[in-house]
Amino acid sequence: MKSIIELNGISKRFRLGMLGARSLREEVENWCGRLRSGQQATAPGARDFWALRDISFAVEHGEVLGIIGSNGAGKSTLLKILSRITEPTHGEALIRGRVASLLEVGTGFHPELSGRENIFLNGAILGMNRREIRTKLDEIIDFAEIEQFLDTPVKRYSSGMYVRLAFAVAAHLEPEILIIDEVLAVGDAAFQKKCLTRMGDVAKGGRTVLFVSHNTSAIVNLCSRCVLIEKGKLTADGEPSEIINSYLSRDLSGEPVLEFQEKGGEAFFNRVTLARDDRTPSANFDFDESAILLLDFTLRRNIPGMDVSFSISDTTGERLFRSTSVMSDPPVIVENGGTHSLSARIPRSVLLPGRYFITITLHRPNFEIFDRHERAITFEVTNKGFEYYSYSPRQVGRFHADVRWTSNNTLQMRI
Amino acid sequence: MAPLSDYEFAIRPNRSWVRVDWRGLWDYRDLLLLLVRRDFVSRYKQTVLGPAWFVLQPVLMTLTFTVVFGKVARIPTDGVPPVLFYLCGLLGWTYFSQNFQSTSTALVSNAALFKKVYFPRLVVPLAAVTSNLMAFGIQFTTFLAVYAFYSRFTPDGGRFGMEWTALMLPLIVLQIALFSLGVGLWLSALSAKYRDFQHLSVFLVQVWMYATPVIYPLSNVPEQWRWVSILNPMTVPVELLKQVLLGTGSCEPAHIAVSIAGTLLTVVSGLLVFQRVERTFADIA
């Protein structure tokens, strides 16, 4: 029997300049530039980004395939191609079955419509026809536990009810191939467990499932096979527990030391290093480990008001915080000409597991920027045992705060 | 469930010019119906008057026109009572402008959906055109009621009248549907890439109304400029509606041919542009 999914050399290129919608004016300027110079204004390929490069593998009928990789590795792009949301740039995928993909829970829910109406609408969006939905209706309502609110508009649902209903519809899809992206990270623990059980049933029912998740225990429990995608390439394929072990203990890609070419100007960075407590360079930290940022720089002359700063941003591009030498307590003032070395400690247990970027700046605040390196260092915070792992930022936020709880009951209890 | 072999398909970079997934559209016909229902039901949720708005909107518009263009500006109405004349003109125009508005934002306003799930994107504009058809039906009924009142109870009764060609009404509506779909597809494809067109289209639809004989009869356009008016494919269907429903209009067969040709050209090219943009829309949205 032929494989149910076959991928042959799938590649996907994004033009970085094209990522956001461009305004017409920019486009016209681009055209004019091309006309004048007789060719493309920028060198072709200069701003290309390959999200996927030459991915080939086959999935057999009834296999449950886990897909893992760090954020931005290309997992979601791969799922989008397989669910026909976007096209590959090169290569082809052969799909021999009806596909339902679940990249988000509750896609297409309309807040004004009732629960029942949304079951039909959402089901149809996911590819079911009305007859199929009607036969499944009771099961779906049962699974979602919303029977008494069935005719209430979903905008009046609690978020828990909303998610339960949405997952219930999706869980009752009966395609030959089910593609799921990280949607299990919703709802309370009891409901998550219910979803995982349901996923297990789907898998045992002989359907083919592709499953992207950061929840490694779910992958080990549910999947019969696992592939690892790193920087757009397929780097490992095999037994889930083996792949996950090697993935979690791997040396991370980011370069922890960056030397800069000496350039003109009155102040510039020579080197930036990210290191562990014992000063060994590293780009991979455990959640409860602090990191030290070492900044080496040169001032050509005395620059009063000189400030050194760094900021940390996450993969969405959002800046999480900034820290400057002058504003630290006590302030560190470096104004004299010469070479300098500063270190800054990034406290432990603040950044949640994920990938982060450090941008460094030499400047006189509000006056002049002497040297600045965007995203000079990339590092990853991983998690060994801490339970934030399986939750999405929507639930836990972007930081961990070391909040101390105390019970005020103890005294009264004793009396 | 269909046998496996039935669903074999390949995903590969597509470089062909036209690829409309007709079979996919058919498979998702239930979605189309549900979207129509959603549009219709959700539009007037949490309103007191509910679907009565479908009647009220054109009536209020007609009254405004009667005062502004009939009483103040004194634009002639081919001898037909102004209320009836405007109501008839608005019949075709409202259907067009509603389609225009809902299809031209089809891609952008559903971006979140299109980035998360696949279904033939064309379902969305088709559903919009279909659900607006229901509003058209209600509006047409309103027109018939007003028509009956005027022809029976006013002395103007003999000055206008439906012709047997009123049976052509479905064809005229079809033309409006196709043309508005075509224009809407063009604009939704363009504004998917350049949001400038979103702003432009709001303005465009307003100007377009004045370029179409909605509030004035085509006979009011000077003879030597009439051909310009005919180049607007909306002129003929709007004028034809007045011709078949009220018996006043100045459309000639040649005009109709030009208008139909323009409509076909627009809808085919619109499909072409739309399906080229939708394929990579998820990347640029």
Side-chain angles (χ1 to χ4, degrees), chain B residues 78-81 84 147-162 246-248:
Chain B
D78 266 359
V80 177
L84 214 48
Y147 177 90
F149 171 81
Y150 269 92
S151 62
R152 191 165 277 250
F153 300 112
T154 64
D156 294 326
R159 305 236 302 274
F160 58 90
M162 257 182 226
L246 301 173
T248 62

Side-chain angles (χ1 to χ4, degrees), chain A residues 1 12 14 18-24 27 61 80-99 103-104 107-108 110 112-113 117 120-121 124-127 129-130 155-156 174 176, chain B residues 1-5 7-15 19 21 27-28 30-31 33-35 37-38 41-42 45-46 112-119 121 192-197 278-285:
Chain A
M1 195 171 170
K12 175 79 185 176
F14 287 102
M18 301 278 279
L19 274 180
R22 286 209 273 183
S23 81
L24 189 57
E27 193 84 343
H61 188 80
K80 279 187 177 172
I81 289 173
L82 291 178
S83 3
R84 297 212 276 168
I85 291 167
T86 184
E87 288 191 332
T89 311
H90 299 301
E92 65 165 13
L94 294 168
I95 311 270
R96 301 193 176 90
R98 220 167 68 133
V99 178
L103 304 191
E104 182 186 72
T107 308
H110 195 289
E112 296 286 351
L113 298 183
E117 288 166 324
F120 279 92
L121 182 62
I125 285 174
L126 293 172
N129 59 39
R130 273 183 303 176
K155 66 175 178 184
R156 304 226 168 80
E174 290 209 337
E176 283 123 352
Chain B
M1 192 171 291
L4 286 188
S5 56
Y7 272 94
E8 174 160 345
F9 63 90
I11 297 167
R12 54 170 73 96
N14 200 299
R15 295 197 175 83
R19 187 194 58 173
D21 184 8
D27 285 345
Y28 278 87
D30 279 349
L31 176 60
L33 292 177
L34 284 163
L35 286 175
R37 209 182 113 76
R38 176 195 72 174
V41 172
S42 67
K45 277 258 166 122
Q46 218 169 341
L113 187 56
F114 289 167
K115 280 160 90 169
K116 292 295 177 189
V117 65
Y118 171 81
F119 54 84
R121 273 55 174 128
K193 275 196 130 170
Y194 317 107
R195 298 291 147 90
D196 307 57
F197 285 94
E278 62 154 19
R279 283 190 248 142
T280 50
F281 175 63
D283 300 342
I284 57 169

Side-chain angles (χ1 to χ4, degrees), chain A residues 1-4 59-63 96 176 206-208, chain B residues 4:
Chain A
M1 195 171 170
K2 286 185 195 163
S3 311
I4 192 161
V59 184
E60 302 306 322
H61 188 80
E63 238 176 346
R96 301 193 176 90
E176 283 123 352
R207 244 159 280 152
T208 310
Chain B
L4 286 188

Side-chain angles (χ1 to χ4, degrees), chain A residues 124-141:
Chain A
I125 285 174
L126 293 172
M128 287 193 264
N129 59 39
R130 273 183 303 176
R131 198 164 36 83
E132 278 177 275
I133 302 168
R134 218 170 282 134
T135 57
K136 291 261 157 63
L137 191 61
D138 291 336
E139 267 179 80
I140 293 176
I141 297 166

